[in-house]
Amino acid sequence: MALDALFETTSDLEESVRVDRRATGDDEAERLRLVESYHITESAEAYLQDILARILGEAEGERRGSNHWLYGYYGSGKSHLLAVTGLLLDSEWVDSVGRDKVWKKLAGHPDALSDLKATWERCLDEYRLHPLFVNLLKEQGNRQRGF
């Protein structure tokens, strides 16, 4: 059996997602495509739930602050998750597109992942969120711009 007969893809796969780069061309369509192409795993759902709880000041555990250590193998979707997180936390963009439309693209159905959706909507209701992307690799070795 030919190798290509074993695998069927429904769309072109990108090599990588750059978190610190704005979409080009039709910005809204590109962003929606990025959200729609993300598959929420259990661990991604837990990550999103935790970051949203931290925004609301409702995080559990002893760890303080909003920082997260995100790790995984090369190609496992870390950058895609961060890009989607940034879009979900961009109040201006979410308001312009519409919450239901964004959520349907992410979850496949307006009522899917209802607990996560409720927490996300509370964040958007209580705060005006503006994500800030910083590529620390660009600053590697630069002593004057440290974090």
Side-chain angles (χ1 to χ4, degrees), residues 108-140:
H109 188 276
D111 299 326
L113 302 166
S114 58
D115 290 343
L116 182 61
K117 182 182 180 187
T119 306
W120 174 63
E121 288 187 322
R122 284 183 43 229
C123 285
L124 293 171
D125 289 342
E126 294 183 29
Y127 297 99
R128 190 81 179 148
L129 303 169
H130 302 277
L132 173 65
F133 297 109
V134 178
N135 184 345
L136 296 177
L137 291 176
K138 287 182 179 178
E139 307 303 330
Q140 199 169 17

Side-chain angles (χ1 to χ4, degrees), residues 90-101:
D90 186 340
S91 293
E92 184 178 337
W93 179 73
V94 170
D95 288 347
S96 71
V97 174
R99 291 181 188 184
D100 287 338
K101 185 174 184 178

Side-chain angles (χ1 to χ4, degrees), residues 20-72:
D20 62 331
R21 193 182 294 160
R22 286 287 202 199
T24 57
D26 188 352
D27 205 31
E28 180 179 323
E30 180 65 19
R31 289 175 180 199
L32 285 171
R33 188 203 57 74
L34 185 67
V35 171
E36 185 176 34
S37 66
Y38 190 75
H39 172 73
I40 299 181
T41 62
E42 286 183 28
S43 59
E45 182 180 2
Y47 161 83
L48 289 168
Q49 195 65 265
D50 184 59
I51 201 166
L52 296 172
R54 289 185 185 287
I55 290 169
L56 293 168
E58 300 171 355
E60 296 180 11
E62 295 180 23
R63 190 169 69 85
R64 298 186 187 276
S66 299
N67 59 333
H68 281 74
W69 182 259
L70 185 61
Y71 58 92

